Amino acid sequence: MTDSPIVRPGAVLVINAGSSSLKYQIVDPLTEDVYADGLAERIGEKTSSIKHECGGREQKIELSLPDHRAAIAKVMELFAGDGVNLTQAGLVAVGHRVVHGGRSFHEPTLVTPFVREEIARIAPLAPLHNPPNLVGIDAVTELLPDVPAVVVFDTAFFHDLPAESSTYALNADVAKEYAIRRYGFHGTSHAYVSRRAAEFLNRPYDEVNQIVLHLGNGASMSAIRGGRPIDTTMGMTPLEGLVMGTRTGDIDPGITFQLARVAGMSIDDIDRLYNKESGLKGLCGDNDFRSVLERVDAGDEAAELAFGVYLHRLRHYIGAYLIELGHVDAIVFTAGVGENAVAVRAEGLKDLENFGIVIDADRNAVRSPEPRVISTDDSAITVLVVPTNEELEIARQSAAVVDGG
Ligand code: AMP
């Protein structure tokens, strides 16, 4: 076992802790080899589950996981069963995804007691996300105290958005006091995909203007000028912008007053409504895009409207970003929907020949895990599909922090 260990030294354990879930991966940041991958779900509920894959063996178990610490302890036990002792596997870092870095953090950072306190202090900016991220950091640090822990922030890539795009037209004193600005999210994915797209085009990153569409269950778009984001659709929270699986995206703030005053809903009710019961799910009952598209094909009216609203918002922002950037070299699709939903790419960029965007139907229909061009050779703007890999990006950034330190 020692001459061919499943996990080779130099790997990074990537942790993405949600409110009731824990995603993990062990990946080598240089070779890109993925040694293990897993997901614990429904943590804190009566029955939890873990899907664990290591060394080519996959296990699915149902059990009780009262909290994240129990989940991580169980995951370590599963690794031990695979013959992998995580404390002695030569991990160079644990890379934790943290959703909100607030104004304090704009680059990956080694976890120290001060950094931990700072993440806790800015938790009110992302009350649904940062607290579980912190729980994950504490639980893993307790079990792997000798491996350096690094935090990689979803907001970091957008930290230097130009003031006119990061500032809300809200009373400036109130905005300042409560740190209200547009932060942007999915930054790890936008950073990875935009770099990968420039590499694929064989162009220097700082010379390429791109529009990146991260379309997953959550969805966001960014406008990137020469490697620097100048705008993004998510804002103070990941609720703003595009229509998502269960989130409204842009909505008139007046609706909130109406729901509170007329419908008597509490702030928590409205939060749940906007975040969990709206978007595609709120419009047609399904948030899984595959089901929505199947229903559209079958002529289901609610699904057709949901798809139409989704595309309308998408095209609205594509138009905005074409103007903001002035010159665009590439439009890049990524994440579950962006990588797989042929119809979203075809309809999202339909009839834009006058703007230099021409999709090639055959290329668009190709399914592949590799980056690929889906526009015609004479399309002035190249349209690409570039699979995202947030875990690899977190692993690379974490290893770089440890190297640099
Ligand atoms: P993500 O959040 O990136 O994991 O993306 C999840 C979304 O991708 C879900 O809405 C899935 O339905 C969607 N998705 C995954 N595969 C496909 C596919 N083949 N066609 C359409 N949508 C897909």
Side-chain angles (χ1 to χ4, degrees):
M1 192 57 91
T2 36
D3 23 330
S4 125
I6 295 174
V7 176
R8 292 180 191 280
V12 174
L13 169 62
V14 177
I15 298 283
N16 182 351
S19 55
S20 63
S21 68
L22 180 93
K23 262 168 99 173
Y24 56 94
Q25 190 175 94
I26 300 183
V27 57
D28 188 305
L30 298 175
T31 62
E32 304 185 11
D33 286 332
V34 176
Y35 300 122
D37 197 32
L39 172 66
E41 287 182 291
R42 301 192 304 279
I43 297 170
E45 292 178 30
K46 238 202 241 140
T47 327
S48 322
S49 67
I50 301 185
K51 201 173 99 191
H52 174 83
E53 204 187 322
C54 180
R57 192 163 78 103
E58 188 177 315
Q59 306 178 57
K60 278 186 196 160
I61 51 172
E62 299 228 323
L63 71 175
S64 162
L65 295 171
D67 53 32
H68 284 73
R69 200 190 169 283
I72 289 163
K74 184 66 198 173
V75 168
M76 288 185 64
E77 215 179 290
L78 291 173
F79 275 116
D82 296 320
V84 176
N85 178 347
L86 282 189
T87 56
Q88 291 166 17
L91 296 173
V92 289
V94 181
H96 293 273
R97 174 184 181 219
V98 175
V99 169
H100 217 306
R103 285 188 292 208
S104 316
F105 297 107
H106 46 92
E107 53 191 21
T109 307
L110 202 61
V111 177
T112 62
F114 170 77
V115 166
R116 198 206 161 281
E117 284 317 303
E118 194 58 17
I119 297 172
R121 194 185 64 76
I122 58 181
L125 286 173
L128 300 180
H129 296 94
N130 277 28
N133 296 159
L134 259 182
V135 171
I137 294 170
D138 290 345
V140 179
T141 307
E142 197 183 319
L143 293 166
L144 294 174
D146 298 327
V147 186
V150 176
V151 276
V152 177
F153 300 95
D154 250 34
T155 48
F157 184 58
F158 299 113
H159 186 263
D160 294 323
L161 280 180
E164 60 273 22
S165 100
S166 65
T167 307
Y168 287 109
L170 176 71
N171 178 286
D173 297 333
V174 172
K176 183 155 186 264
E177 176 157 2
Y178 295 101
I180 294 173
R181 53 160 274 182
R182 306 188 63 251
Y183 288 95
F185 296 86
H186 290 147
T188 311
S189 177
H190 285 272
Y192 174 85
V193 167
S194 56
R195 277 198 202 99
R196 194 80 193 81
E199 258 168 45
F200 181 77
L201 294 171
N202 231 338
R203 301 265 313 271
Y205 187 44
D206 59 3
E207 285 178 14
V208 184
N209 286 3
Q210 2 185 352
I211 298 175
V212 176
L213 290 83
H214 175 112
L215 308 178
N217 206 14
S220 64
M221 199 185 297
S222 64
I224 303 172
R225 175 180 289 138
R228 286 200 50 187
I230 60 162
D231 208 347
T232 190
T233 53
M234 284 179 168
M236 162 84 188
T237 74
L239 189 53
E240 191 178 341
L242 301 175
V243 174
M244 306 182 215
T246 62
R247 292 177 225 160
T248 55
D250 293 340
I251 195 167
D252 177 351
I255 296 170
T256 308
F257 316 142
Q258 183 78 359
L259 292 174
R261 291 190 187 119
V262 178
M265 292 173 78
S266 70
I267 286 297
D268 285 342
D269 292 339
I270 299 172
D271 193 327
R272 194 171 333 104
L273 178 72
Y274 288 0
N275 273 297
K276 304 238 185 266
E277 296 159 8
S278 295
L280 296 169
K281 185 174 185 199
L283 287 171
C284 73
D286 262 314
N287 63 299
D288 189 308
F289 226 97
R290 281 166 289 211
S291 316
V292 176
L293 292 175
E294 275 166 24
R295 288 172 55 190
V296 168
D297 286 343
D300 179 305
E301 273 183 34
E304 279 174 359
L305 177 63
F307 190 42
V309 175
Y310 183 92
L311 289 173
H312 177 81
R313 183 79 48 80
L314 195 84
R315 288 170 67 88
H316 167 96
Y317 276 109
I318 288 172
Y321 288 180
L322 284 171
I323 301 290
E324 283 186 43
L325 286 166
H327 171 85
V328 176
D329 299 289
I331 295 178
V332 192
F333 286 88
T334 195
V337 175
E339 290 167 30
N340 297 298
V342 175
V344 168
R345 300 191 300 253
E347 297 291 322
L349 297 180
K350 196 167 134 186
D351 298 332
L352 297 180
E353 292 79 6
N354 285 342
F355 297 88
I357 302 167
V358 191
I359 295 288
D360 180 308
D362 292 336
R363 289 178 179 173
N364 188 31
V366 170
R367 293 189 179 279
S368 155
E370 297 300 320
R372 57 200 183 272
V373 174
I374 59 163
S375 48
T376 59
D377 289 339
D378 56 7
S379 178
I381 296 176
T382 306
V383 184
L384 302 172
V385 176
V386 175
T388 192
N389 193 338
E390 290 168 276
E391 287 79 15
L392 178 61
E393 181 70 17
I394 291 173
R396 282 181 179 160
Q397 296 192 9
S398 303
V401 167
V402 173
D403 261 3

